[in-house]
């Protein structure tokens, strides 16, 4: 069987084991005589998947009892709206850290609902670093500090030490780094992640939420955009993305069998170090990110020559390496090395980078 090394930023590669298991269960899921795709979301068979996936997420994230997990739709982008819509009132403050274009999009939506400020921004540095914050800057009146933990496009991330040192109300976008390294997720009253990077297929958005964080002011929201609706109905108010939840459950079992977040963090560090060390020692490739802010999940690099970058991407395809082109807004290259990307895949990429450098110097 021919499998390609897929470095795409999302939807992204999935563990082969997960795809094999899904394939084996496709026509007849655990003796039910049907596929998960065909099951009623009210059936006992589906409920088992729903509960098991939720429990695995809580376990792997080390969530406390205050937090609930929701399975929603509409992508991380819908959360940009749902968070401020549910939390802020017109005069309420919230503080956003602009670390890239996803954070900027979230800020734009929040402005529709409250008196939202930009606490810090690294836009002037072209987002090659994350703004330094220690929490003291935050207005006490502010309802929450908003962070995008991993900046998928720019290859930067807020380090676990920084997260663990903050002690303010916080909301986070964890779309491209959830379950990739250890930090205290309970610090966030709301966090969310589109599944298509580190958790499974698109169509599913994971939300972790502290129920006590929701204002009890009797506000009336559109039913489907009200977190309370989904909390009350255990994410079964309407039809959830059942199949994506099922695959997410398989990915979580795979991760648990590997040893959970602690174990995958080691592997992720090994993969990222392999790439960063190679890039830092090479004469051709360059990564412009501040070393302490380098992402474990998205490694960006350039040759400094647009034509050479294009030749690199083209040549990669011949080596079964795809999805390596940088985001259209920044150019260059980006290797997305999420949990499911193997060390072997990263080695294949580095081998190709070596060959390409030799041929072009
Ligand atoms: C991909 C991504 C998004 C957008 O996710 P959708 O599910 O497509 O809405 C938001 N934030 C980050 C950090 C991302 O990587």
């Amino acid at each position: 069987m021919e499998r390609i090394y897929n470095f795409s930023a999302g939807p992204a590669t999935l563990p082969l084991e997960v795809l094999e298991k899904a394939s084996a269960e496709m026509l007849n899921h655990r003796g039910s005589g049907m596929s998960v795709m065909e099951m009623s979301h009210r059936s006992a068979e589906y409920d088992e998947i729903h509960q098991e996936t939720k429990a695995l997420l809580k376990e792997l994230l080390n969530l406390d009892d205050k937090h609930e997990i929701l399975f929603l739709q509409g992508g991380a982008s819908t959360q940009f709206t749902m968070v401020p819509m549910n939390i802020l009132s017109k005069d309420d403050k919230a503080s956003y850290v602009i670390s890239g274009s996803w954070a900027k999009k979230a800020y734009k939506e929040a402005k529709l609902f409250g008196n939202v400020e930009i606490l810090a921004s690294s836009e002037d540095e072209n987002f090659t670093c994350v703004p330094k914050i220690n929490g003291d800057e935050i207005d006490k009146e502010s309802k929450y500090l908003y962070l995008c933990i991993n900046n998928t496009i720019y290859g930067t991330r807020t380090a676990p030490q920084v997260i663990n040192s903050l002690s303010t109300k916080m909301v986070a976008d964890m779309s491209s780094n959830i379950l990739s390294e250890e930090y205290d997720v309970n610090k966030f009253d709301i966090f969310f992640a589109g599944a298509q990077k580190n958790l499974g297929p698109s169509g599913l958005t994971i939300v972790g939420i502290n129920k006590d964080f929701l204002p009890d002011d009797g506000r009336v929201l559109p039913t489907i955009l009200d977190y309370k609706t989904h909390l009350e109905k255990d994410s079964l108010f309407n039809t959830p993305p059942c199949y994506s939840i099922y695959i997410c459950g398989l990915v979580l079992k795979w991760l648990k069998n590997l040893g959970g977040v602690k174990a995958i963090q080691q592997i992720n560090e090994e993969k990222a170090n392999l790439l960063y060390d190679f890039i830092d020692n090479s004469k051709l490739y360059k990564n412009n990110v501040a070393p302490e802010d380098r992402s474990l999940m998205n490694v960006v690099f350039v040759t400094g020559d647009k034509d050479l970058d294009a030749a690199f991407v083209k040549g990669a395809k011949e080596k079964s390496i795809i999805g390596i082109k940088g985001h259209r807004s920044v150019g260059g290259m980006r290797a997305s090395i999420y949990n499911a990307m193997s060390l072997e895949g990263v080695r294949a990429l580095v081998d190709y980078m070596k060959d390409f450098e030799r041929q072009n110097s």
Side-chain angles (χ1 to χ4, degrees):
M1 181 193 36
E2 200 53 46
R3 290 273 298 168
I4 211 158
Y5 293 120
N6 178 6
F7 289 91
S8 171
T13 194
L14 286 166
L16 182 59
E17 263 174 71
V18 165
L19 297 175
E20 282 170 346
K21 175 91 172 155
S23 158
E25 293 183 334
M26 171 70 86
L27 302 182
N28 181 0
H29 180 81
R30 300 177 200 171
S32 66
M34 57 185 157
S35 168
V36 174
M37 272 181 262
E38 304 168 297
M39 275 177 194
S40 163
H41 60 295
R42 310 279 175 206
S43 67
E45 286 102 333
Y46 174 71
D47 194 56
E48 196 182 318
I49 296 169
H50 198 84
Q51 300 309 333
E52 194 178 18
T53 305
K54 214 169 65 174
L56 275 165
L57 267 169
K58 283 188 177 171
E59 181 186 337
L60 289 164
L61 287 164
N62 221 343
L63 271 196
D64 62 24
D65 292 338
K66 280 195 196 149
H67 284 79
E68 271 303 328
I69 292 286
L70 300 178
F71 297 134
L72 303 185
Q73 300 184 67
S77 300
T78 298
Q79 295 309 306
F80 296 167
T81 305
M82 270 179 85
V83 168
M85 180 186 252
N86 278 263
I87 303 301
L88 301 180
S89 300
K90 199 161 74 31
D91 297 323
D92 282 347
K93 284 190 181 157
S95 309
Y96 278 63
V97 174
I98 308 298
S99 54
S101 47
W102 292 119
K104 223 169 145 177
K105 284 182 174 151
Y107 168 71
K108 175 171 173 253
E109 298 307 305
K111 278 201 296 186
L112 299 172
F113 300 97
N115 178 15
V116 181
E117 62 162 356
I118 293 180
L119 186 76
S121 169
S122 51
E123 189 159 19
D124 288 347
E125 287 86 28
N126 293 320
F127 298 125
T128 52
C129 59
V130 294
K132 301 279 169 287
I133 42 158
N134 60 29
D136 297 344
E137 315 87 340
I138 300 156
D139 187 337
K140 297 226 163 12
E141 305 267 281
S142 188
K143 294 282 174 188
Y144 60 85
L145 168 69
Y146 181 95
L147 300 175
C148 177
I149 306 296
N150 186 76
N151 301 286
T152 323
I153 297 172
Y154 309 93
T156 66
R157 69 97 157 82
T158 299
Q161 314 81 277
V162 176
I163 296 171
N164 291 338
S165 73
L166 292 167
S167 57
T168 178
K169 295 264 167 210
M170 292 195 283
V171 169
D173 179 352
M174 299 184 188
S175 292
S176 52
N177 76 301
I178 191 165
L179 293 171
S180 66
E181 63 180 331
E182 289 191 302
Y183 56 85
D184 187 1
V185 173
N186 293 309
K187 291 204 168 241
F188 299 91
D189 286 296
I190 301 178
F191 60 88
F192 57 86
Q196 68 272 20
K197 279 134 192 181
N198 239 345
L199 294 170
S202 61
L204 167 65
T205 311
I206 301 294
V207 177
I209 185 165
N210 171 5
K211 297 172 289 269
D212 302 337
F213 187 54
L214 295 174
D216 203 7
D217 57 4
R219 70 177 66 191
V220 180
L221 298 174
T223 312
I224 197 76
L225 297 176
D226 189 339
Y227 286 124
K228 287 179 179 158
T229 302
H230 302 288
L231 281 164
E232 277 163 23
K233 301 289 183 189
D234 193 14
S235 306
L236 287 160
F237 168 72
N238 66 327
T239 320
C242 302
Y243 199 76
S244 293
I245 292 169
Y246 157 69
I247 300 285
C248 176
L250 295 183
V251 170
L252 297 171
K253 273 182 217 165
W254 166 83
L255 181 57
K256 187 177 168 176
N257 285 339
L258 266 176
V261 179
K262 201 185 190 77
I264 202 77
Q265 176 174 343
Q266 267 184 10
I267 300 169
N268 287 336
E269 282 169 352
E270 194 177 346
K271 291 184 307 193
N273 287 340
L274 200 63
L275 269 166
Y276 286 125
D277 287 348
F278 174 72
I279 292 167
D280 289 344
N281 289 307
S282 124
K283 290 201 172 61
L284 181 63
Y285 309 103
K286 231 180 142 61
N287 167 287
N288 293 318
V289 172
E292 69 277 14
D293 294 340
R294 282 175 165 180
S295 168
L296 286 185
M297 298 281 98
N298 310 95
V299 178
V300 295
F301 56 98
V302 292
T303 64
D305 174 331
K306 282 201 169 77
D307 293 337
L308 212 50
D309 287 351
F312 180 93
V313 171
K314 193 157 173 260
K317 205 162 177 194
E318 285 155 29
K319 303 276 181 192
S320 295
I321 291 168
I322 66 139
I324 198 83
K325 196 170 165 188
H327 189 269
R328 58 194 179 280
S329 63
V330 295
M333 278 74 74
R334 168 177 55 177
S336 296
I337 51 173
Y338 299 121
N339 287 356
M341 173 52 69
S342 62
L343 186 57
E344 182 204 345
V346 175
R347 288 206 179 105
L349 173 59
V350 170
D351 286 346
Y352 167 63
M353 290 170 78
K354 279 182 196 161
D355 284 347
F356 187 84
E357 180 164 9
R358 224 175 286 128
Q359 283 159 19
N360 290 282
S361 55

